[in-house]
Amino acid sequence: ELFKPPPRAIDEAPWGSAERKMRIALVVEGTRGDVQPMLVLGSALAAEGHQILVCASPDFRAASEAAGHAFCAVGTDVRAYLTAHAESIDGSAHKALVAGVRFTRDTVREQFAALPDATANADLIIGAGVQVAGPSVAQLHGIAYRYVAYCPAILPSKAHPPFLVPAQTLPPWANRLAW
């Protein structure tokens, strides 16, 4: 088991009490800019006594374990993938789109394959980055799911269009329509 079973007294403590500690799975997909903030969040939660499991691509095992968190490899080694596919990513827009779709398809499949077992004993799943399977896995386990958005540009708003829209100075009605 990736989570250690808590002492019985913790299980019986009422929600909201200082004695109630949680097993929290931080599920994140992406580069260091996606994973590092979750490691910091995990450290803050661990300082409050919660058990932390980081589910991320294999290249973040050392960073996660250095922060004192349990780790479960999920997905593809991002650095290795970017290095192996540099010509596609740095080439034409079409090649970059094809490589991105392939990576996303493979990664999402791996997330759905690994996360149900890895998070089986979690009380809460917190997702970040391009993590897709987290909400479904949380629903499967009957637990809460929360998502950490580092950049408001990924959240629908009339204040801005989606980040892929080249024109970033649209009127509010057009921004909302673009979502």
Side-chain angles (χ1 to χ4, degrees), residues 2-166:
L2 295 170
F3 283 115
K4 299 174 197 136
R8 192 75 186 133
I10 291 176
D11 275 345
E12 295 172 355
W15 282 105
S17 72
E19 297 83 32
R20 180 74 185 202
K21 304 302 179 188
M22 297 178 75
R23 296 170 300 242
I24 302 172
L26 303 178
V27 296
V28 57
E29 179 67 41
T31 62
R32 183 175 178 196
D34 297 299
V35 177
Q36 189 65 38
M38 294 297 276
L39 296 178
V40 173
L41 174 62
S43 294
L45 292 168
E48 295 297 319
H50 302 289
Q51 291 182 36
I52 303 301
L53 169 66
V54 175
C55 300
S57 64
D59 43 333
F60 295 104
R61 176 180 298 279
S64 179
E65 290 175 350
H69 308 315
F71 183 81
C72 178
V74 175
T76 304
D77 183 312
V78 175
R79 281 180 256 182
Y81 183 87
L82 292 175
T83 300
H85 296 87
E87 74 287 342
S88 297
I89 296 166
D90 199 27
S92 72
H94 179 262
K95 284 183 179 180
L97 179 62
V98 169
V101 168
R102 185 181 316 116
F103 177 81
T104 301
R105 182 188 61 231
D106 294 345
T107 299
V108 168
R109 184 176 326 148
E110 292 170 9
Q111 290 172 11
F112 277 103
L115 286 176
D117 288 340
T119 61
N121 294 318
D123 299 309
L124 170 67
I125 295 176
I126 301 175
V130 289
Q131 210 302 313
V132 175
S136 295
V137 173
Q139 186 174 17
L140 172 72
H141 295 315
I143 61 173
Y145 175 83
R146 298 294 180 265
Y147 182 81
V148 175
Y150 307 129
C151 176
I154 66 170
L155 301 174
S157 171
K158 67 179 183 180
H160 60 80
F163 68 93
L164 293 175
V165 173

